[in-house]
Amino acid sequence: MGNVGQLARLWGPRRPRARSSVREHLRDTFWFAPTVGLVGAVLLWLGAFAVDAEIVSRLQRAGAFDEVGELVSIAEDARTIVTTISSAMMTFIGVVFSISLVAVQMASGQLTPRVVRIFVRSRISKATLSVFLATFLFSLLVLTSYESETDARQVTSVPVVQSLLTMALVALSLLLFIGYVSATLRLMQVGPVVDRITHETFRMLVRHVAEGPGGEPLPAESARIAHQGRAGVLLDVHVARLVRAARRQGVVLRLIPRIGDFVMPGTPVLAVHGGAAPSPRVLRHAVSVGVERTFHQDLGLGLRQLSDIALRALSPAVNDPTTAVQCLDRIVQILAAVVHRPLGTVQHRDRRGAVRLSQDVPGWTDLVDLALAEIRESSVRSPQVTRRLLAGIEDLLLLVPAERREPLERHRTLLLQAVEHTVPSAADRRFASFPDRQGIG
Protein backbone atom coordinates (compact mmCIF):
# COMPACT_ATOMS: atom_id res chain seq x y z
CA MET A 1 0.00 0.00 0.00
CA GLY A 2 1.31 3.41 -0.96
CA ASN A 3 1.71 6.43 1.26
CA VAL A 4 -1.62 7.92 0.26
CA GLY A 5 -3.39 4.60 0.61
CA GLN A 6 -2.03 4.14 4.11
CA LEU A 7 -3.19 7.53 5.32
CA ALA A 8 -6.10 8.73 3.19
CA ARG A 9 -8.83 7.08 5.24
CA LEU A 10 -7.73 9.11 8.29
CA TRP A 11 -7.76 12.58 6.82
CA GLY A 12 -9.79 15.25 8.50
CA PRO A 13 -10.64 15.89 12.14
CA ARG A 14 -11.52 13.09 14.54
CA ARG A 15 -12.31 12.74 18.20
CA PRO A 16 -9.41 11.88 20.52
CA ARG A 17 -8.95 8.25 21.42
CA ALA A 18 -9.76 7.12 24.92
CA ARG A 19 -6.88 4.64 24.93
CA SER A 20 -3.99 5.82 27.05
CA SER A 21 -0.31 5.53 26.24
CA VAL A 22 0.29 2.75 28.79
CA ARG A 23 0.55 0.14 26.04
CA GLU A 24 3.23 2.12 24.23
CA HIS A 25 5.15 2.71 27.44
CA LEU A 26 5.07 -1.00 28.25
CA ARG A 27 6.42 -1.77 24.79
CA ASP A 28 9.41 0.41 25.62
CA THR A 29 10.22 -1.80 28.63
CA PHE A 30 11.92 -5.18 28.65
CA TRP A 31 10.55 -6.47 31.96
CA PHE A 32 6.80 -6.62 31.39
CA ALA A 33 6.62 -9.47 28.85
CA PRO A 34 9.02 -11.79 30.78
CA THR A 35 7.07 -11.11 33.97
CA VAL A 36 3.83 -12.06 32.24
CA GLY A 37 5.58 -15.18 30.94
CA LEU A 38 6.65 -16.23 34.43
CA VAL A 39 3.15 -15.69 35.82
CA GLY A 40 1.75 -17.64 32.89
CA ALA A 41 4.17 -20.50 33.60
CA VAL A 42 2.93 -20.73 37.20
CA LEU A 43 -0.71 -20.71 36.09
CA LEU A 44 -0.02 -23.31 33.40
CA TRP A 45 1.69 -25.54 35.95
CA LEU A 46 -1.21 -25.24 38.38
CA GLY A 47 -3.62 -26.23 35.64
CA ALA A 48 -1.47 -29.13 34.46
CA PHE A 49 -0.98 -30.32 38.06
CA ALA A 50 -4.75 -30.33 38.58
CA VAL A 51 -5.26 -32.31 35.35
CA ASP A 52 -2.63 -34.90 36.34
CA ALA A 53 -4.18 -35.28 39.79
CA GLU A 54 -7.65 -35.68 38.27
CA ILE A 55 -6.44 -38.33 35.82
CA VAL A 56 -4.84 -40.39 38.59
CA SER A 57 -7.90 -39.98 40.84
CA ARG A 58 -10.31 -41.20 38.15
CA LEU A 59 -8.14 -44.19 37.28
CA GLN A 60 -7.88 -45.17 40.95
CA ARG A 61 -11.62 -44.86 41.44
CA ALA A 62 -12.13 -47.08 38.41
CA GLY A 63 -9.66 -49.66 39.77
CA ALA A 64 -7.29 -49.23 36.80
CA PHE A 65 -4.16 -49.57 38.92
CA ASP A 66 -2.16 -51.13 36.08
CA GLU A 67 -2.72 -48.01 34.00
CA VAL A 68 -1.65 -45.86 36.94
CA GLY A 69 1.54 -47.92 37.21
CA GLU A 70 2.22 -47.36 33.52
CA LEU A 71 1.79 -43.63 33.99
CA VAL A 72 4.24 -43.70 36.89
CA SER A 73 6.75 -45.54 34.71
CA ILE A 74 6.34 -43.03 31.87
CA ALA A 75 6.74 -40.11 34.26
CA GLU A 76 9.91 -41.58 35.74
CA ASP A 77 11.37 -41.92 32.25
CA ALA A 78 10.45 -38.31 31.48
CA ARG A 79 11.95 -37.12 34.74
CA THR A 80 15.48 -37.37 33.37
CA ILE A 81 14.53 -35.19 30.40
CA VAL A 82 12.84 -32.58 32.60
CA THR A 83 15.88 -32.48 34.91
CA THR A 84 18.19 -31.94 31.93
CA ILE A 85 15.96 -29.18 30.61
CA SER A 86 15.83 -27.34 33.92
CA SER A 87 19.63 -27.47 34.34
CA ALA A 88 20.45 -26.46 30.76
CA MET A 89 17.84 -23.77 30.07
CA MET A 90 19.31 -21.04 32.24
CA THR A 91 22.77 -21.54 30.75
CA PHE A 92 21.22 -21.43 27.29
CA ILE A 93 19.48 -18.16 28.12
CA GLY A 94 22.73 -16.57 29.32
CA VAL A 95 24.70 -17.59 26.23
CA VAL A 96 22.01 -16.50 23.76
CA PHE A 97 21.46 -13.07 25.23
CA SER A 98 25.16 -12.42 25.75
CA ILE A 99 25.67 -12.92 22.04
CA SER A 100 22.63 -10.73 21.35
CA LEU A 101 23.96 -7.87 23.43
CA VAL A 102 27.21 -7.97 21.46
CA ALA A 103 25.20 -7.81 18.22
CA VAL A 104 23.17 -4.86 19.48
CA GLN A 105 26.33 -3.06 20.56
CA MET A 106 27.82 -3.53 17.09
CA ALA A 107 24.64 -2.28 15.43
CA SER A 108 24.47 0.79 17.66
CA GLY A 109 28.11 1.58 16.92
CA GLN A 110 27.69 1.22 13.16
CA LEU A 111 24.32 2.99 12.84
CA THR A 112 23.15 4.98 15.86
CA PRO A 113 22.66 4.31 19.59
CA ARG A 114 18.94 4.88 19.06
CA VAL A 115 18.82 1.52 17.25
CA VAL A 116 18.89 -0.20 20.65
CA ARG A 117 15.29 0.87 21.05
CA ILE A 118 14.33 -1.36 18.13
CA PHE A 119 15.73 -4.33 20.02
CA VAL A 120 13.90 -3.33 23.19
CA ARG A 121 10.57 -3.01 21.35
CA SER A 122 11.05 -6.16 19.29
CA ARG A 123 8.21 -8.62 19.88
CA ILE A 124 10.32 -11.62 18.93
CA SER A 125 13.00 -10.64 21.46
CA LYS A 126 10.48 -10.33 24.26
CA ALA A 127 8.62 -13.48 23.27
CA THR A 128 11.86 -15.47 23.15
CA LEU A 129 13.03 -14.33 26.57
CA SER A 130 9.55 -14.86 28.02
CA VAL A 131 9.26 -18.41 26.72
CA PHE A 132 12.82 -19.28 27.77
CA LEU A 133 12.23 -18.10 31.32
CA ALA A 134 8.78 -19.70 31.42
CA THR A 135 10.26 -23.03 30.31
CA PHE A 136 12.93 -22.83 32.98
CA LEU A 137 10.45 -22.02 35.75
CA PHE A 138 7.91 -24.56 34.52
CA SER A 139 10.50 -27.35 34.50
CA LEU A 140 11.48 -26.52 38.09
CA LEU A 141 7.85 -26.64 39.17
CA VAL A 142 7.37 -29.96 37.40
CA LEU A 143 10.28 -31.44 39.34
CA THR A 144 8.47 -30.59 42.57
CA SER A 145 5.49 -32.66 41.40
CA TYR A 146 7.37 -35.96 41.36
CA GLU A 147 6.58 -38.13 44.37
CA SER A 148 8.76 -40.73 46.03
CA GLU A 149 5.70 -42.97 46.29
CA THR A 150 5.48 -45.49 43.43
CA ASP A 151 2.56 -47.62 44.63
CA ALA A 152 -0.31 -47.21 42.17
CA ARG A 153 -2.82 -47.23 45.06
CA GLN A 154 -1.04 -44.56 47.10
CA VAL A 155 0.26 -42.10 44.50
CA THR A 156 -1.76 -38.86 44.26
CA SER A 157 -0.33 -37.22 41.16
CA VAL A 158 1.76 -38.39 38.23
CA PRO A 159 3.21 -35.45 36.21
CA VAL A 160 2.61 -36.87 32.76
CA VAL A 161 0.77 -33.88 31.33
CA GLN A 162 3.29 -31.57 32.99
CA SER A 163 6.20 -33.45 31.39
CA LEU A 164 4.54 -33.28 27.97
CA LEU A 165 3.99 -29.54 28.37
CA THR A 166 7.64 -29.11 29.34
CA MET A 167 8.74 -30.77 26.12
CA ALA A 168 6.25 -28.64 24.17
CA LEU A 169 7.72 -25.51 25.73
CA VAL A 170 11.20 -26.66 24.76
CA ALA A 171 10.05 -27.15 21.16
CA LEU A 172 8.50 -23.69 21.18
CA SER A 173 11.72 -22.26 22.61
CA LEU A 174 13.74 -23.77 19.77
CA LEU A 175 11.39 -22.33 17.14
CA LEU A 176 11.53 -18.90 18.77
CA PHE A 177 15.30 -19.15 19.01
CA ILE A 178 15.51 -19.54 15.22
CA GLY A 179 13.29 -16.51 14.71
CA TYR A 180 15.20 -14.55 17.32
CA VAL A 181 18.58 -15.19 15.70
CA SER A 182 17.16 -14.16 12.34
CA ALA A 183 15.72 -10.94 13.79
CA THR A 184 18.97 -10.13 15.60
CA LEU A 185 21.00 -10.60 12.42
CA ARG A 186 18.60 -8.31 10.57
CA LEU A 187 19.20 -5.70 13.26
CA MET A 188 22.81 -5.56 12.07
CA GLN A 189 21.72 -4.78 8.48
CA VAL A 190 21.03 -1.23 7.35
CA GLY A 191 18.03 -2.01 5.15
CA PRO A 192 15.85 -3.72 7.78
CA VAL A 193 16.72 -1.07 10.38
CA VAL A 194 15.72 1.91 8.23
CA ASP A 195 12.63 -0.01 7.08
CA ARG A 196 11.65 -0.57 10.73
CA ILE A 197 12.11 3.12 11.52
CA THR A 198 9.95 4.06 8.53
CA HIS A 199 7.29 1.55 9.56
CA GLU A 200 7.16 2.97 13.09
CA THR A 201 6.86 6.49 11.66
CA PHE A 202 3.92 5.51 9.47
CA ARG A 203 2.21 3.81 12.41
CA MET A 204 2.56 7.03 14.39
CA LEU A 205 1.15 9.06 11.48
CA VAL A 206 -1.88 6.81 11.20
CA ARG A 207 -2.57 6.92 14.94
CA HIS A 208 -1.97 10.49 15.94
CA VAL A 209 -1.42 12.97 13.15
CA ALA A 210 -4.82 12.78 11.53
CA GLU A 211 -6.33 15.86 13.15
CA GLY A 212 -7.63 18.89 11.35
CA PRO A 213 -5.52 22.02 10.90
CA GLY A 214 -5.45 24.45 13.78
CA GLY A 215 -7.29 27.29 12.07
CA GLU A 216 -9.81 28.17 14.79
CA PRO A 217 -8.70 31.08 17.00
CA LEU A 218 -8.45 30.43 20.72
CA PRO A 219 -9.87 32.55 23.55
CA ALA A 220 -7.51 34.78 25.49
CA GLU A 221 -4.99 33.00 27.68
CA SER A 222 -6.08 33.02 31.32
CA ALA A 223 -3.61 30.76 33.15
CA ARG A 224 -0.66 28.44 32.80
CA ILE A 225 0.03 25.06 34.36
CA ALA A 226 3.63 24.20 35.26
CA HIS A 227 5.26 20.81 35.03
CA GLN A 228 5.59 19.24 38.49
CA GLY A 229 7.30 15.95 37.66
CA ARG A 230 10.87 15.02 36.88
CA ALA A 231 12.94 16.65 34.17
CA GLY A 232 13.06 14.82 30.88
CA VAL A 233 11.80 14.54 27.33
CA LEU A 234 8.08 15.07 26.72
CA LEU A 235 7.02 11.65 25.46
CA ASP A 236 3.30 12.08 24.89
CA VAL A 237 0.10 13.54 26.26
CA HIS A 238 -3.14 11.75 27.12
CA VAL A 239 -5.33 13.57 24.61
CA ALA A 240 -8.67 12.13 25.74
CA ARG A 241 -7.99 12.98 29.40
CA LEU A 242 -7.02 16.57 28.59
CA VAL A 243 -10.07 17.01 26.34
CA ARG A 244 -12.39 15.72 29.07
CA ALA A 245 -10.82 18.03 31.66
CA ALA A 246 -11.11 21.05 29.35
CA ARG A 247 -14.74 20.24 28.47
CA ARG A 248 -15.80 19.96 32.11
CA GLN A 249 -14.09 23.25 32.91
CA GLY A 250 -15.39 24.96 29.77
CA VAL A 251 -11.92 26.01 28.60
CA VAL A 252 -9.39 25.27 25.88
CA LEU A 253 -5.99 23.82 26.80
CA ARG A 254 -2.89 24.47 24.71
CA LEU A 255 0.20 22.29 24.94
CA ILE A 256 3.15 24.68 25.09
CA PRO A 257 6.17 22.41 24.37
CA ARG A 258 6.26 20.06 21.43
CA ILE A 259 6.45 16.32 21.80
CA GLY A 260 10.17 15.56 22.06
CA ASP A 261 11.09 18.81 23.83
CA PHE A 262 13.04 18.67 27.08
CA VAL A 263 11.00 20.00 30.01
CA MET A 264 12.06 20.83 33.56
CA PRO A 265 10.07 21.14 36.78
CA GLY A 266 8.42 24.54 37.08
CA THR A 267 8.33 25.25 33.35
CA PRO A 268 4.84 25.76 31.87
CA VAL A 269 3.50 22.85 29.85
CA LEU A 270 -0.18 23.79 29.43
CA ALA A 271 -1.78 27.14 28.76
CA VAL A 272 -5.45 27.66 29.70
CA HIS A 273 -7.65 29.76 27.41
CA GLY A 274 -11.09 31.06 28.29
CA GLY A 275 -11.44 30.37 32.00
CA ALA A 276 -9.99 28.98 35.18
CA ALA A 277 -7.45 26.16 35.11
CA PRO A 278 -8.65 22.62 35.82
CA SER A 279 -7.60 20.99 39.08
CA PRO A 280 -4.01 19.68 39.06
CA ARG A 281 -5.40 16.37 40.32
CA VAL A 282 -7.47 16.03 37.16
CA LEU A 283 -4.42 16.63 34.96
CA ARG A 284 -2.19 14.22 36.87
CA HIS A 285 -0.53 11.67 34.53
CA ALA A 286 -1.91 13.50 31.48
CA VAL A 287 1.63 14.48 30.44
CA SER A 288 4.30 11.76 30.22
CA VAL A 289 7.99 12.59 30.59
CA GLY A 290 10.86 10.13 30.10
CA VAL A 291 14.55 9.88 29.31
CA GLU A 292 14.33 9.14 25.58
CA ARG A 293 11.98 10.10 22.77
CA THR A 294 9.46 7.53 21.57
CA PHE A 295 7.43 7.03 18.40
CA HIS A 296 4.10 7.20 20.21
CA GLN A 297 3.29 10.82 19.23
CA ASP A 298 6.65 12.18 18.06
CA LEU A 299 6.35 13.25 14.42
CA GLY A 300 10.02 14.11 13.96
CA LEU A 301 11.66 11.11 15.62
CA GLY A 302 11.76 8.92 12.51
CA LEU A 303 13.42 11.64 10.44
CA ARG A 304 15.81 12.35 13.32
CA GLN A 305 16.94 8.71 13.48
CA LEU A 306 17.32 8.37 9.71
CA SER A 307 19.31 11.59 9.62
CA ASP A 308 21.56 10.35 12.44
CA ILE A 309 22.30 7.11 10.58
CA ALA A 310 23.06 9.02 7.38
CA LEU A 311 25.34 11.48 9.19
CA ARG A 312 27.32 8.69 10.80
CA ALA A 313 27.65 6.97 7.43
CA LEU A 314 28.97 10.20 5.89
CA SER A 315 31.52 10.83 8.64
CA PRO A 316 35.20 10.40 7.64
CA ALA A 317 35.57 7.57 10.14
CA VAL A 318 32.88 5.48 8.40
CA ASN A 319 32.67 6.85 4.84
CA ASP A 320 29.67 4.77 3.72
CA PRO A 321 27.62 6.91 1.31
CA THR A 322 25.47 3.96 0.22
CA THR A 323 23.97 3.80 3.70
CA ALA A 324 23.22 7.52 3.49
CA VAL A 325 21.44 6.91 0.17
CA GLN A 326 19.31 4.19 1.79
CA CYS A 327 18.34 6.64 4.51
CA LEU A 328 17.48 9.30 1.93
CA ASP A 329 15.17 6.83 0.18
CA ARG A 330 13.12 6.51 3.37
CA ILE A 331 13.34 10.21 4.21
CA VAL A 332 11.82 11.09 0.86
CA GLN A 333 9.13 8.46 1.43
CA ILE A 334 8.16 9.96 4.80
CA LEU A 335 8.13 13.52 3.48
CA ALA A 336 6.01 12.42 0.53
CA ALA A 337 3.47 10.97 2.98
CA VAL A 338 2.95 14.31 4.72
CA VAL A 339 3.07 16.75 1.79
CA HIS A 340 -0.69 17.35 2.04
CA ARG A 341 -1.09 16.80 5.77
CA PRO A 342 -2.13 19.57 8.16
CA LEU A 343 1.01 20.52 10.07
CA GLY A 344 2.10 23.26 12.45
CA THR A 345 -0.86 23.19 14.85
CA VAL A 346 -3.54 20.55 15.31
CA GLN A 347 -6.70 20.90 17.35
CA HIS A 348 -8.51 18.15 19.24
CA ARG A 349 -12.27 18.43 19.64
CA ASP A 350 -14.83 16.98 22.01
CA ARG A 351 -17.96 15.07 21.00
CA ARG A 352 -19.81 18.26 20.18
CA GLY A 353 -17.07 19.47 17.86
CA ALA A 354 -15.73 22.19 20.16
CA VAL A 355 -11.96 22.66 20.26
CA ARG A 356 -10.63 21.61 23.65
CA LEU A 357 -6.91 20.98 23.08
CA SER A 358 -4.49 22.76 20.78
CA GLN A 359 -1.13 21.15 20.10
CA ASP A 360 1.89 22.46 18.25
CA VAL A 361 3.54 19.93 15.91
CA PRO A 362 6.44 20.42 13.49
CA GLY A 363 5.48 22.32 10.36
CA TRP A 364 6.42 21.39 6.81
CA THR A 365 9.50 23.62 6.83
CA ASP A 366 10.59 22.14 10.17
CA LEU A 367 10.37 18.61 8.81
CA VAL A 368 12.20 19.43 5.59
CA ASP A 369 15.01 21.14 7.50
CA LEU A 370 15.24 18.24 9.94
CA ALA A 371 15.39 15.72 7.11
CA LEU A 372 17.76 17.49 4.71
CA ALA A 373 19.84 20.24 6.34
CA GLU A 374 22.53 18.20 8.11
CA ILE A 375 22.75 15.58 5.37
CA ARG A 376 23.11 18.32 2.76
CA GLU A 377 26.00 19.92 4.65
CA SER A 378 27.82 16.60 5.04
CA SER A 379 27.25 15.26 1.54
CA VAL A 380 29.04 17.87 -0.58
CA ARG A 381 32.10 15.68 -1.19
CA SER A 382 30.04 12.56 -1.94
CA PRO A 383 28.52 12.73 -5.44
CA GLN A 384 26.50 9.59 -4.76
CA VAL A 385 24.62 11.37 -1.99
CA THR A 386 24.28 14.76 -3.70
CA ARG A 387 22.79 13.12 -6.78
CA ARG A 388 20.31 11.15 -4.66
CA LEU A 389 19.42 14.20 -2.60
CA LEU A 390 18.73 16.29 -5.71
CA ALA A 391 16.58 13.51 -7.16
CA GLY A 392 14.60 13.27 -3.92
CA ILE A 393 14.01 17.03 -3.86
CA GLU A 394 12.79 16.99 -7.46
CA ASP A 395 10.42 14.11 -6.72
CA LEU A 396 8.99 16.01 -3.75
CA LEU A 397 8.61 19.20 -5.80
CA LEU A 398 6.30 17.27 -8.11
CA LEU A 399 4.05 16.38 -5.16
CA VAL A 400 3.95 19.42 -2.89
CA PRO A 401 1.48 22.28 -3.28
CA ALA A 402 2.84 25.67 -4.29
CA GLU A 403 2.93 27.04 -0.74
CA ARG A 404 5.28 24.25 0.39
CA ARG A 405 7.87 24.48 -2.39
CA GLU A 406 10.10 27.12 -0.77
CA PRO A 407 12.07 24.96 1.72
CA LEU A 408 12.75 22.31 -0.93
CA GLU A 409 13.93 24.88 -3.47
CA ARG A 410 16.08 26.51 -0.79
CA HIS A 411 17.86 23.26 0.03
CA ARG A 412 18.36 22.48 -3.66
CA THR A 413 19.91 25.91 -4.23
CA LEU A 414 22.16 25.62 -1.17
CA LEU A 415 23.31 22.16 -2.22
CA LEU A 416 24.17 23.28 -5.76
CA GLN A 417 26.04 26.30 -4.39
CA ALA A 418 28.01 24.11 -1.98
CA VAL A 419 28.98 21.74 -4.79
CA GLU A 420 30.00 24.71 -6.95
CA HIS A 421 32.29 26.08 -4.23
CA THR A 422 33.71 22.75 -3.03
CA VAL A 423 34.29 20.59 -6.10
CA PRO A 424 37.22 21.98 -8.14
CA SER A 425 36.63 20.24 -11.47
CA ALA A 426 33.81 21.46 -13.73
CA ALA A 427 33.16 17.92 -14.95
CA ASP A 428 32.92 16.63 -11.40
CA ARG A 429 30.56 19.47 -10.50
CA ARG A 430 28.25 18.59 -13.39
CA PHE A 431 28.35 14.93 -12.36
CA ALA A 432 27.61 15.66 -8.68
CA SER A 433 24.76 18.03 -9.66
CA PHE A 434 22.87 15.53 -11.82
CA PRO A 435 19.82 14.02 -10.06
CA ASP A 436 19.90 10.24 -9.79
CA ARG A 437 17.55 8.15 -7.60
CA GLN A 438 20.28 5.56 -7.05
CA GLY A 439 23.04 8.08 -6.48
CA ILE A 440 25.58 6.44 -8.73
CA GLY A 441 23.91 3.07 -8.96
Side-chain angles (χ1 to χ4, degrees):
M1 182 182 294
N3 296 340
V4 177
Q6 289 180 2
L7 302 172
R9 64 184 178 86
L10 295 170
W11 282 43
R14 62 175 173 83
R15 290 181 303 188
R17 295 187 175 198
R19 179 175 63 83
S20 72
S21 58
V22 174
R23 176 176 174 271
E24 289 297 321
H25 292 174
L26 290 177
R27 283 199 65 192
D28 286 324
T29 66
F30 211 73
W31 60 266
F32 180 73
T35 301
V36 172
L38 292 175
V39 174
V42 174
L43 297 177
L44 180 63
W45 173 75
L46 291 174
F49 182 85
V51 171
D52 282 328
E54 182 64 21
I55 291 174
V56 172
S57 177
R58 290 192 178 188
L59 290 175
Q60 288 174 339
R61 289 197 300 268
F65 297 111
D66 292 339
E67 285 77 1
V68 175
E70 292 178 1
L71 289 179
V72 172
S73 177
I74 294 173
E76 285 298 324
D77 292 338
R79 184 173 188 172
T80 303
I81 300 176
V82 175
T83 303
T84 304
I85 292 172
S86 64
S87 61
M89 185 56 68
M90 204 62 193
T91 302
F92 184 55
I93 293 172
V95 171
V96 169
F97 280 87
S98 296
I99 297 173
S100 302
L101 291 177
V102 173
V104 171
Q105 185 177 10
M106 292 178 60
S108 64
Q110 294 173 354
L111 303 175
T112 171
R114 264 67 65 186
V115 78
V116 177
R117 186 174 177 274
I118 297 178
F119 174 81
V120 173
R121 288 176 62 89
S122 171
R123 289 188 175 92
I124 186 66
S125 300
K126 295 178 181 179
T128 303
L129 179 60
S130 301
V131 173
F132 281 10
L133 293 175
T135 302
F136 173 69
L137 179 59
F138 190 85
S139 62
L140 292 180
L141 294 173
V142 171
L143 289 176
T144 65
S145 301
Y146 284 93
E147 300 179 0
S148 58
E149 181 63 59
T150 58
D151 187 351
R153 290 177 173 80
Q154 302 296 326
V155 69
T156 59
S157 177
V158 180
V160 175
V161 174
Q162 299 172 61
S163 301
L164 292 176
L165 286 176
T166 303
M167 297 176 191
L169 286 174
V170 171
L172 179 60
S173 299
L174 294 176
L175 292 175
L176 285 173
F177 173 67
I178 296 173
Y180 175 74
V181 171
S182 176
T184 304
L185 290 176
R186 287 174 61 84
L187 184 63
M188 302 176 66
Q189 299 174 275
V190 177
V193 170
V194 298
D195 179 71
R196 180 65 177 272
I197 294 172
T198 307
H199 176 71
E200 291 279 0
T201 303
F202 272 91
R203 287 186 60 195
M204 185 279 305
L205 287 173
V206 169
R207 284 197 308 261
H208 292 285
V209 193
E211 307 293 344
E216 184 171 327
L218 303 180
E221 182 179 322
S222 54
R224 288 195 170 192
I225 301 174
H227 175 55
Q228 300 298 329
R230 61 174 180 171
V233 176
L234 181 60
L235 302 181
D236 52 49
V237 293
H238 197 308
V239 174
R241 183 174 297 169
L242 291 175
V243 168
R244 286 196 301 267
R247 177 176 55 82
R248 291 169 184 167
Q249 195 72 12
V251 298
V252 179
L253 297 176
R254 176 172 58 86
L255 184 66
I256 297 175
R258 287 180 180 176
I259 302 297
D261 286 355
F262 188 85
V263 296
M264 297 180 295
T267 57
V269 291
L270 289 169
V272 183
H273 294 259
S279 169
R281 182 182 59 84
V282 176
L283 300 179
R284 187 178 302 167
H285 307 306
V287 177
S288 298
V289 172
V291 297
E292 189 173 6
R293 296 168 66 176
T294 71
F295 274 105
H296 188 210
Q297 295 177 2
D298 197 335
L299 178 59
L301 180 57
L303 293 174
R304 177 70 273 164
Q305 290 186 341
L306 292 172
S307 179
D308 286 346
I309 296 174
L311 291 173
R312 178 164 297 200
L314 290 173
S315 65
V318 178
N319 194 22
D320 183 13
T322 303
T323 293
V325 168
Q326 289 180 274
C327 294
L328 281 172
D329 293 339
R330 299 300 185 168
I331 286 173
V332 172
Q333 180 187 3
I334 294 173
L335 290 178
V338 298
V339 290
H340 298 290
R341 304 284 289 175
L343 300 169
T345 301
V346 295
Q347 293 180 338
H348 306 268
R349 303 173 183 270
D350 60 17
R351 295 179 180 178
R352 297 181 180 179
V355 174
R356 294 301 179 188
L357 176 64
S358 178
Q359 181 179 354
D360 184 27
V361 300
W364 170 251
T365 301
D366 298 325
L367 294 178
V368 172
D369 290 340
L370 171 61
L372 304 182
E374 294 173 304
I375 298 177
R376 171 178 56 77
E377 293 178 358
S378 302
S379 66
V380 177
R381 297 188 179 278
S382 175
Q384 181 180 358
V385 182
T386 59
R387 289 159 63 94
R388 177 64 185 98
L389 185 53
L390 288 170
I393 291 175
E394 291 197 355
D395 289 340
L396 290 171
L397 286 172
L398 296 176
L399 300 175
V400 298
E403 63 272 13
R404 292 189 173 182
R405 295 177 61 91
E406 187 277 329
L408 294 171
E409 293 174 343
R410 170 167 52 86
H411 281 288
R412 181 176 62 181
T413 300
L414 291 173
L415 178 59
L416 293 175
Q417 289 177 350
V419 171
E420 184 72 23
H421 295 152
T422 305
V423 181
S425 170
D428 288 339
R429 288 196 296 269
R430 287 193 299 271
F431 181 78
S433 303
F434 183 81
D436 186 342
R437 290 189 180 91
Q438 291 189 23
I440 299 179

